[in-house]
Amino acid sequence: MTGQQRSRSGHRAVPHTADMRVEAWAPTAEGCIGEAVRAVVEGFADTSKARQVAEREHTATAGTDEDLLVSVLDEVIYRMDTDGEIPLDTEVGTIRDTGEGRSLSVRFRMADADTAELVGAVPKAVALHGLHLRGGPDGWTCQVTLDV
């Protein structure tokens, strides 16, 4: 991926045996996290005909930006498991330094999962192996594997 390609936001699924692996890129860490959420949802659901049912907020506090990414994806999985909801859209606030580490607020526009078409295996957990969220001169990239 060239610097020019990476400076724009985007995401893709990466072939991975028995799991879901996604890559995302954006000019900012926050944008990269939002792209990762979109990549994960697209990996198992077509939301083009899904109906919005709620807005949910999630605040993550963690020691590292990578742990913030894990917390946001864990929230997506939790909402699917407990509420039967999946994100239609994700707004990621600014990452802030706090006395406890790093903090991030996220707002999800949620759809009833029953109104989306399943196109893949639903993720069950975020794997920590191979996880990364890093910034560089051409923007931010992240890679994450999810157990399905």
Side-chain angles (χ1 to χ4, degrees), residues 8-20:
R8 291 178 268 170
S9 297
H11 57 267
R12 66 180 179 172
V14 179
H16 196 273
T17 306
D19 290 320
M20 176 191 298

Side-chain angles (χ1 to χ4, degrees), residues 79-102:
R79 291 289 176 184
M80 288 185 301
D81 286 346
T82 61
D83 300 329
E85 296 176 352
I86 57 175
L88 289 175
D89 190 34
T90 305
E91 294 177 27
V92 182
T94 302
I95 295 174
R96 300 173 308 279
D97 287 318
T98 69
E100 301 163 8
R102 310 277 279 157

Side-chain angles (χ1 to χ4, degrees), residues 8-90:
R8 291 178 268 170
S9 297
H11 57 267
R12 66 180 179 172
V14 179
H16 196 273
T17 306
D19 290 320
M20 176 191 298
R21 182 139 177 99
V22 298
E23 294 179 349
W25 56 93
T28 65
E30 297 88 351
C32 203
I33 291 170
E35 288 294 330
V37 171
R38 284 184 272 289
V40 167
V41 172
E42 287 176 10
F44 72 91
D46 175 358
T47 60
S48 61
K49 296 180 183 167
R51 294 186 326 264
Q52 181 179 342
V53 294
E55 286 195 13
R56 305 279 185 218
E57 291 190 31
H58 172 69
T59 301
T61 301
T64 68
D65 291 346
E66 287 175 336
D67 291 339
L68 292 174
L69 171 62
V70 171
S71 177
V72 171
L73 294 176
D74 280 344
E75 181 70 8
V76 170
I77 293 167
Y78 172 79
R79 291 289 176 184
M80 288 185 301
D81 286 346
T82 61
D83 300 329
E85 296 176 352
I86 57 175
L88 289 175
D89 190 34
T90 305

